[in-house]
Amino acid sequence: MTGEKALVIVDAANVVGSVPDGWWRDRHGAAERLRDSLVPYAADGLPGQPGPVEIVLVVEGAARGVASAPGVRVEAAPGSGDDLIAALAAAAHGVRPCVVVTADRGLRQRAEAHGARCTGPRTVRPLPPSARG
């Protein structure tokens, strides 16, 4: 692997849906809030993956049209977000470390088949105190 930054791919639909905060009323706005919350991770990295990292937020459906932000590139999936995430993980395989943030078991299997390490939504979106039970 080269000295390129690690690639962190975030499954927007899965991560947004991991916290019951009313995201379903404004999917586009929820994706924008997630994007903004990811900005510090570009410099700081994730647990087990020190920064700086390249972050790609994969959006689909009603979240298409969300713009990129400093440190976070937004990629709108032309079809399935899972297919785009798997393709991005495959492209990184053997070139640089790749981390996929999702709780989707099927997507985790696909990403891991391409050498990616997977981690859950709480890595980038901790549960608010009211949802911790």
Side-chain angles (χ1 to χ4, degrees), residues 3-5 7-8 13 30 32 38 43 50 54-55 59 72 75 78 82 84 94 101 112 124 129:
E4 285 188 69
K5 292 180 189 177
L7 176 63
V8 175
E32 287 179 326
L38 294 173
E54 178 184 355
I55 298 177
V59 298
V72 181
E75 291 280 337
D82 290 4
L84 178 56
V101 181
E112 288 168 349
V124 296

Side-chain angles (χ1 to χ4, degrees):
M1 289 192 211
T2 68
E4 285 188 69
K5 292 180 189 177
L7 176 63
V8 175
I9 307 167
V10 180
D11 179 355
N14 188 268
V15 174
V16 163
S18 69
V19 176
D21 61 0
W23 58 264
W24 51 90
R25 291 187 294 268
D26 180 12
R27 293 170 193 261
H28 189 272
E32 287 179 326
R33 289 187 296 279
L34 173 59
R35 176 206 57 204
D36 294 346
S37 74
L38 294 173
V39 170
Y41 293 105
D44 300 342
L46 302 172
Q49 186 59 63
V53 297
E54 178 184 355
I55 298 177
V56 176
L57 177 64
V58 174
V59 298
E60 61 189 351
R64 284 188 186 99
V66 170
S68 295
V72 181
R73 186 175 89 233
V74 178
E75 291 280 337
S80 161
D82 290 4
D83 288 347
L84 178 56
I85 292 166
L88 291 168
H93 186 61
V95 177
R96 60 182 168 158
C98 179
V99 177
V100 173
V101 181
T102 187
D104 181 310
R105 286 188 200 131
L107 178 55
R108 282 175 172 249
Q109 290 174 340
R110 292 174 70 187
E112 288 168 349
H114 296 296
R117 180 172 67 87
C118 295
T119 187
R122 290 185 190 175
T123 303
V124 296
R125 189 165 187 198
L127 286 174
S130 62
R132 291 186 192 145

